[in-house]
């Protein structure tokens, strides 16, 4: 895999991260770290997937990277880590999977029982992938708190 | 929670306790409205309440309401507040987080906290609406490149999601139902993105369709849903996940409508 592909991946996922950061109205000083979180997390996932890992495991690793970077930036910029974690994870959110699953559900309504089986399977596969990738993202970005800030629940 | 230990905090009278519960509930409400996860809401409300003089706070975060009980000495007060989820606004979450720490360090007292909460609730948007449209368009176009689209798809996606964002802003300003906004916005995005297919601008026009609606994907709902569930807040997690699923369904509906009206296939 060549360097150019990785650089493009970094650039586009970083732009996606700050685009959504602007939509979510983050403080302007956090835009650059959001770019770094989004770019490195997604590019890391792409590299791992090129090496043969599944998208779920790749997402878990990428999101953990976003989480760790977010924890670092949270301290440096005195901003809650959730800002970096959410904006950084956005490029990895399985949006296409999610609405393909829903599109499949809508299509099932028009199918006959005999011909509907592949549509049902496709919808199910997309749905399961959406769930797994989201769980991987949530687990990944929560990784620093789950590992290093274990505490007795106060509430 | 039994209060066996002798507290060092002086007991508050009923009026001060009302003030404490009011302020902490208000902060919690704004957090829940603007996209914080349940754990953060609980911790922040607890921190603000105990730092302002209450001995203990018990908090129940429900998907559309907050219940808080404050305890001080022999007094306790309980208050329920209904919370309507608005759009994600991380500037508010940052400001409240910052305020909660300053309260816990003793830098801000009750009167000053009230002034700050008023100014946070009037917090303006950091970015001009045209900047938002451009950046959201660029974000979706960037995602279309990640899906393997060419430059024609990039441009079509940029225009499609930018115009969809414009429609979304106009509809939000007119207080339409959030799910209707998603259907209409997805329809606009799909209709504009269909041009890649109609005018044969690219060998893979379906990528423009898939990428143009990504501005609507309920990323924060879905991420928060799983975050809540990991930390044991099953009810809020399930509700957020279901909200995300309904929004995805609305996206698919709007997109399908546009594709069928313009007779565009694929995806």
């Amino acid at each position: 895999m060549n360097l150019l592909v990785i650089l493009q991946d970094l650039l586009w996922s970083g732009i996606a991260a700050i685009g959504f950061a602007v939509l979510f109205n983050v403080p302007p000083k956090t835009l650059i770290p959001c770019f770094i979180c989004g770019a490195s997390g997604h590019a890391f996932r792409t590299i791992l997937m090129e090496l043969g890992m599944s998208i779920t495991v790749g997402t878990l690793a990428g999101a953990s990277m976003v989480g760790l970077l977010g924890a670092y930036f949270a301290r440096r910029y005195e901003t809650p880590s959730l800002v970096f974690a959410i904006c950084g994870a956005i490029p990895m959110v399985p949006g296409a999977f999610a609405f393909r699953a829903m599109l499949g559900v809508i299509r099932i309504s028009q199918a006959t029982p005999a011909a509907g089986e592949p549509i049902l399977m496709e919808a199910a596969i997309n749905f399961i992938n959406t769930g797994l990738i989201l769980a991987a993202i949530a687990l990944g970005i929560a990784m620093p708190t789950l590992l290093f800030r274990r505490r007795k629940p106060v509430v | 929670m039994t209060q066996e230990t002798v507290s060092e905090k002086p007991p508050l009278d009923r009026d001060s306790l009302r003030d404490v519960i009011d302020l902490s509930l208000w902060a919690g409400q704004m957090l829940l409205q603007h996209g914080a996860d349940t754990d953060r809401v609980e911790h922040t409300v607890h921190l603000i309440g105990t730092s302002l003089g209450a001995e203990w706070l018990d908090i129940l975060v429900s998907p559309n309401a907050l219940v808080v009980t404050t305890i001080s000495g022999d007094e306790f007060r309980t208050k329920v507040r209904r919370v309507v989820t608005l759009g994600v606004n991380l500037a508010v979450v940052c400001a409240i987080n910052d305020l909660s720490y300053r309260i816990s360090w003793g830098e801000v007292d009750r009167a000053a906290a009230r002034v700050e909460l008023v100014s946070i609730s009037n917090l303006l948007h950091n970015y001009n609406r045209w900047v938002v449209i451009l950046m959201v368009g660029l974000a979706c176009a960037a995602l279309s490149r990640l899906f393997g689209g060419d430059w024609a798809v990039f441009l079509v996606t940029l225009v499609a999601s930018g115009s969809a964002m414009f429609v979304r802003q106009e509809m939000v300003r007119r207080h339409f139902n959030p799910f209707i906004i998603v259907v209409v916005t997805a329809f606009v995005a799909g209709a504009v993105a269909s041009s890649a297919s109609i005018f044969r601008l690219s060998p893979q026009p379906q990528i423009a369709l898939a990428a143009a609606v990504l501005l609507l994907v309920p990323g924060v709902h879905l991420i928060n849903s799983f975050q809540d569930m990991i930390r044991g807040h099953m009810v809020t997690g399930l509700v957020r996940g279901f909200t995300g699923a309904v929004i995805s369904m609305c996206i698919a509906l709007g997109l399908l409508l546009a594709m069928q009206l313009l007779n565009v296939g694929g995806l």
Side-chain angles (χ1 to χ4, degrees):
Chain A
M1 96 173 287
N2 65 57
L3 197 62
L4 194 67
V5 176
I6 301 175
L7 282 178
Q8 279 184 345
D9 197 281
L10 280 170
L11 175 71
W12 297 124
S13 46
I15 289 177
I18 54 170
F20 280 94
V22 168
L23 178 63
F24 299 149
N25 196 30
V26 302
K29 65 173 181 181
T30 63
L31 282 178
I32 292 169
C34 281
F35 183 97
I36 297 171
C37 281
S40 49
H42 191 277
F44 190 41
R45 175 172 93 166
T46 309
I47 293 170
L48 290 179
M49 280 168 67
E50 287 286 322
L51 295 175
M53 278 193 192
S54 72
I55 189 166
T56 316
V57 179
T59 306
L60 182 63
S64 308
M65 188 157 173
V66 171
L68 290 170
L69 277 173
Y72 165 74
F73 285 133
R75 216 172 271 180
R76 171 136 176 228
Y77 288 85
E78 293 175 339
T79 304
S81 59
L82 146 137
V83 170
F84 307 109
I86 286 198
C87 297
I90 281 286
M92 290 191 281
V93 168
F97 280 115
F99 83 85
R100 270 187 196 141
M102 291 302 163
L103 220 53
V105 171
I106 293 173
R107 278 186 184 145
I108 290 170
S109 68
Q110 301 158 344
T112 56
E117 208 173 317
I119 306 176
L120 187 62
M121 270 313 282
E122 207 190 312
I125 290 169
N126 282 321
F127 192 73
I128 290 166
N129 266 319
T130 310
L132 284 176
I133 295 171
L134 281 172
I137 290 177
L139 206 60
I141 64 178
M143 199 67 87
T145 12
L146 295 176
L147 287 181
F148 308 123
R149 226 187 299 156
R150 300 180 308 266
R151 57 192 164 191
K152 205 176 138 203
V154 288
V155 192
Chain B
M1 192 63 211
T2 47
Q3 302 285 322
E4 294 292 333
T5 48
V6 181
S7 169
E8 297 131 30
K9 286 177 187 166
L12 298 171
D13 58 48
R14 271 185 83 74
D15 277 345
S16 327
L17 205 52
R18 186 185 59 202
D19 218 23
V20 170
I21 196 169
D22 204 37
L23 292 168
S24 41
L25 196 51
W26 190 5
Q29 176 203 357
M30 284 205 273
L31 281 180
L32 199 56
Q33 270 176 345
H34 293 112
D37 56 308
T38 304
D39 223 44
R40 180 172 295 274
V41 176
E42 280 192 352
H43 275 108
T44 310
V45 171
H46 192 85
L47 184 66
I48 292 180
T50 46
S51 306
L52 286 176
E55 244 163 62
W56 191 256
L57 273 91
D58 277 313
I59 302 140
L60 172 66
V61 182
S62 130
N64 46 14
L66 268 175
V67 183
V68 178
T69 295
T70 48
I71 301 162
S72 181
D74 298 331
E75 288 285 0
F76 69 91
R77 297 192 85 145
T78 300
K79 204 167 176 178
V80 184
R81 183 164 291 174
R82 204 175 137 63
V83 177
V84 181
T85 316
L86 303 171
V88 180
N89 187 340
L90 295 180
V92 171
V93 178
C94 289
I96 297 215
N97 188 64
D98 187 52
L99 177 65
S100 74
Y101 282 112
R102 278 186 293 127
I103 290 174
S104 75
W105 295 329
E107 288 174 14
V108 180
D109 62 0
R110 286 205 294 271
R114 186 170 292 279
V115 173
E116 291 221 20
L117 281 172
V118 170
S119 75
I120 291 173
S121 68
N122 293 323
L123 208 62
L124 291 171
H125 276 268
N126 288 325
Y127 307 96
N128 179 293
R129 66 174 292 194
W130 299 103
V131 174
V132 175
I133 289 175
L134 177 71
M135 288 310 295
V136 167
L138 267 179
C140 293
L143 288 170
S144 82
R145 291 289 293 180
L146 288 178
F147 292 166
D150 52 17
W151 286 106
V153 166
F154 180 90
L155 277 179
V156 171
T157 311
L158 179 66
V159 176
S161 47
S163 37
M165 190 64 216
F166 176 78
V167 172
R168 187 190 197 179
Q169 286 174 340
E170 288 299 310
M171 289 184 81
V172 168
R173 224 176 57 187
R174 290 175 175 75
H175 304 291
F176 277 93
N177 173 294
F179 297 111
I180 303 292
I181 296 180
V182 173
V183 175
V184 175
T185 310
F187 177 80
V188 172
V192 180
S194 294
S195 62
S197 184
I198 294 169
F199 302 115
R200 301 183 194 289
L201 298 174
S202 157
Q204 301 150 299
Q206 70 281 7
I207 293 177
L209 282 170
V213 292
L214 289 181
L215 77 148
L216 292 163
V217 167
V220 177
H221 280 293
L222 294 175
I223 293 174
N224 275 341
S225 156
F226 278 82
Q227 288 270 52
D228 284 357
M229 287 201 239
I230 288 176
R231 302 199 160 110
H233 305 288
M234 284 295 165
V235 176
T236 45
L238 282 174
V239 171
R240 283 176 200 228
F242 203 79
T243 313
V246 173
I247 293 175
S248 307
M249 183 71 106
C250 291
I251 298 174
L253 205 63
L255 194 66
L256 208 65
L257 211 61
M259 283 164 63
Q260 292 199 337
L261 281 179
L262 294 167
N263 212 0
V264 173
L267 213 73

